[in-house]
Amino acid sequence: MATMEFKGIAASPGVAIGPIVVLPQIQALVNYRELAANWEIEWEIERLERALSATKEEFAAARAEMDHTLNDFSSLFDAYILLLDDKLIKQRTRLTIEKQKVNAEWALNLTLNQAEQLFADITDAYIKDRFRDIMAVIDHIMRHLSEDLSPEFNMQEPSILVVHDLTPADIIRLNTSMILGLATDQGGPTSHTAIIAKALGLPAVQGLEKISSSARNGDKAIIDGAKGLLLLSPSQPEIDFYQDQQIAYRLYLEKITALADLPSHTLDGVQVEVGANIEMLEEIASVHKFGGQSVGLYRTEFSCLSFNRQPTEEEMFDNLRQLALGLNGLSATVRTLDIGGDKLAGFTARGDEINPNLGLRGIRYSIKDRPFFLRQLRAILRASHYGKIRIMFPMVASAEEIIIAKQCLQEARDSLRRQNLPFAGQVETGIMIEVPAAAIAADILAREVDFFSLGTNDLIQYSMAIDRNNEQVKALYQPLHVSILRIIRQVAQAAREAGIDFNMCGEMAGNPRYTPLILGLGVHKLSMSPVIMPRVKEVVRQVNLEYWQKVAEEAINLAAVDQVEALLAFHLKNQMPDLFGGE
Ligand code: PEP
Ligand code: MG
């Protein structure tokens, strides 16, 4: 049988090779049974009640058992438990059993269909997202009704789990020692599954669309988590190739962990700070393990997302206090909520936007939802009492936005003072430079802030006018485009002249091939995914800054990205043959 290749979204790096276990969508297994006698009806209602109680116990136990790694998701279970008692599920299903005289599974499935119809006409993104929760809860009740044991309990050997979608509750139940990797039809790189898979170190590919209906139990497969690939029924040469890749990845992890604490200065002695981008408290361990010198970006979207509603000040404070304490004196740049665009559509009741990437995103949303913004600012300030915290505003396009944000910050400070709640006297305030307007006016914006952080992910998207998640224009997502290189250099210069701190935190900062060029463009502080930090530091130690400044000068005058690529390849090979000689 020929190999079938499925291309999805890279959710968590690593290679997994092994047999597949497919977790079927439970609805596909539901049978119809008509009830003739009254006692049968009573019996089905009793079965439903038992399944509801068992599901409740399951959620409560999962919440209690949840280890520190997945702590952020606990409040989701509270929401699930509330749904179990909601009349939308319980009463409707009971009524259907009584009135239509059908078995509990069939009635529950009808409830799901009715809920789907109910939500179909709703345009409010937040409310619409609740349908996913209902689906997840019904799925769990159904499993109890059909006494279906989850496949991980039946797994005879370590396997790749293939599933249509995975709820946080599913993940808690996973016996991860038996799971080699995860592949799902749905989801993307910022989904719960991706975040949890990364935190657990499981290779994962998502958004494969039809993998759960194409694969069969026992089929052999390979997951390449970094490339977002799944190979179904691979050939022996492919298996051999990926086994080598797997070994290489393991060796690489061992090697870089050993290198983590080595210094990061260039050959000519310029210090380069290498920090981490994280979104979960569970990743603090990786910051230390891989030798992070700071947290250059703490994205607050994910800790907020885990609540499925706006978190309270206390909830945000608790999360940030743990961050501050866990970093043992390293500084953390906490970014206020960067909602909108492709992120967190369900958090706000903002309705559909035709073009969300150009809509109510980042600081624009915060300014509009001032009560929430103030709560978040108070939480960040309060956390600053426990460690080194800086505040950063995302998606800033103009000085007015900074001024309003700083007024809010002052209001938050005043209110904390009135309540005698402690916070640090000096909390640096900065902005992301990720909108071209801000980059162009960087010298003016620099007057308002203590630091800049360059977000290349959005900067490239907005400069090149391409949606960073759109397959059709993916080829135009070009970090080495001359305009991007020029913007980087210009913003670095503006920051230097204004005497403010300057960091780069987009994905580009975590690509070791780009490191020497980025340093040459004038960036001396980088933050990235923790696992890549030792590798970037290794490159930094081999950079002759003066040499790479000249290369950068040449690069910003080249018309084509291919030419920049060639220039880079030539100098990398020439300057760092042991690191890039094999290219
Ligand atoms: C960026 O835009 O480069 C960035 C770091 O922020 P995010 O990816 O969270 O939008
Ligand atoms: Mg961004």
Side-chain angles (χ1 to χ4, degrees), residues 187-479:
T190 53
S191 70
H192 285 122
T193 314
I195 296 166
I196 292 176
K198 267 189 233 156
L200 296 174
L202 280 177
V205 183
Q206 294 200 272
L208 288 160
E209 290 177 5
K210 292 202 165 70
I211 190 64
S212 74
S213 48
S214 310
R216 301 273 168 272
N217 280 340
D219 283 353
K220 199 126 191 157
I222 296 173
I223 284 182
D224 182 337
K227 291 213 183 93
L229 271 185
L230 184 142
L231 303 182
L232 193 59
S233 310
S235 65
Q236 195 54 45
E238 283 166 331
I239 294 175
D240 294 343
F241 172 80
Y242 275 100
Q243 269 166 350
D244 289 347
Q245 294 280 306
Q246 206 170 28
I247 294 167
Y249 186 66
R250 207 172 296 140
L251 289 175
Y252 163 73
L253 280 183
E254 281 169 19
K255 185 183 142 207
I256 58 162
T257 313
L259 292 178
D261 290 323
L262 291 181
S264 62
H265 53 72
T266 62
L267 285 174
D268 25 13
V270 175
Q271 279 299 332
V272 176
E273 186 177 310
V274 175
N277 294 345
I278 62 170
E279 35 252 321
M280 294 170 83
L281 296 176
E282 290 66 29
E283 292 173 287
I284 295 174
S286 309
V287 178
H288 296 304
K289 180 173 164 194
F290 295 116
Q293 296 162 319
S294 61
V295 166
L297 171 62
Y298 184 65
R299 291 182 168 101
T300 53
E301 295 80 71
F302 298 98
S303 57
C304 288
L305 173 83
S306 68
F307 290 100
N308 252 355
R309 57 171 165 79
Q310 288 196 348
T312 63
E313 178 183 322
E314 287 309 309
E315 285 164 340
M316 288 186 277
F317 167 58
D318 182 53
N319 181 278
L320 295 168
R321 189 174 52 100
Q322 290 188 56
L323 172 75
L325 291 171
L327 286 176
N328 297 335
L330 299 183
S331 91
T333 302
V334 176
R335 186 173 73 183
T336 59
L337 197 67
D338 183 16
I339 209 166
D342 60 329
K343 292 180 213 155
L344 271 182
F347 186 83
T348 59
R350 58 186 181 138
D352 285 341
E353 291 180 308
I354 292 174
N355 204 336
N357 273 319
L358 303 181
L360 199 57
R361 248 199 91 171
I363 193 68
R364 305 168 186 183
Y365 170 79
S366 293
I367 288 174
K368 261 217 143 134
D369 190 348
R370 203 171 165 118
F372 175 77
F373 192 34
L374 284 172
R375 282 205 297 281
Q376 186 170 36
L377 292 173
R378 280 172 53 100
I380 302 173
L381 284 171
R382 286 172 64 191
S384 71
H385 181 64
Y386 298 89
K388 275 194 208 149
I389 298 276
R390 313 198 302 173
I391 299 181
M392 178 158 74
F393 304 118
M395 284 293 292
V396 168
S398 65
E400 287 91 328
E401 286 165 334
I402 308 176
I403 290 164
I404 297 174
K406 286 203 303 192
Q407 280 165 354
C408 292
L409 191 58
Q410 192 51 43
E411 200 175 319
R413 280 198 180 99
D414 292 344
S415 65
L416 290 175
R417 265 193 210 106
R418 280 197 299 275
Q419 291 173 277
N420 273 330
L421 289 169
F423 57 93
Q426 283 289 326
V427 178
E428 287 181 17
T429 311
I431 55 168
M432 296 277 299
I433 299 281
E434 53 186 345
V435 177
I440 293 165
D443 56 332
I444 294 175
L445 301 192
R447 298 176 196 153
E448 301 295 336
V449 290
D450 302 310
F451 65 91
F452 282 160
S453 192
L454 197 81
T456 50
N457 304 344
D458 278 313
L459 187 65
I460 298 170
Q461 149 163 282
Y462 294 121
S463 301
M464 304 290 293
I466 47 126
D467 176 347
R468 69 198 232 192
N469 294 315
N470 184 336
E471 280 287 321
Q472 312 277 350
V473 288
K474 224 167 104 185
L476 284 171
Y477 192 86
Q478 295 167 331

Side-chain angles (χ1 to χ4, degrees), residues 19-74:
I20 276 180
V21 166
V22 186
L23 177 61
Q25 265 193 294
I26 195 79
Q27 283 76 12
L29 308 175
V30 172
N31 285 322
Y32 172 80
R33 197 154 44 82
E34 200 175 329
L35 312 176
N38 274 348
W39 69 264
E40 280 186 292
I41 296 176
E42 275 166 35
W43 175 243
E44 287 303 309
I45 290 175
E46 206 180 305
R47 283 184 65 230
L48 174 69
E49 296 288 348
R50 270 206 308 268
L52 287 166
S53 315
T55 312
K56 195 180 234 171
E57 273 171 34
E58 181 200 357
F59 289 156
R63 193 190 194 294
E65 272 170 29
M66 210 157 18
D67 66 11
H68 184 63
T69 326
L70 303 168
N71 219 0
D72 272 4
F73 292 87
S74 58

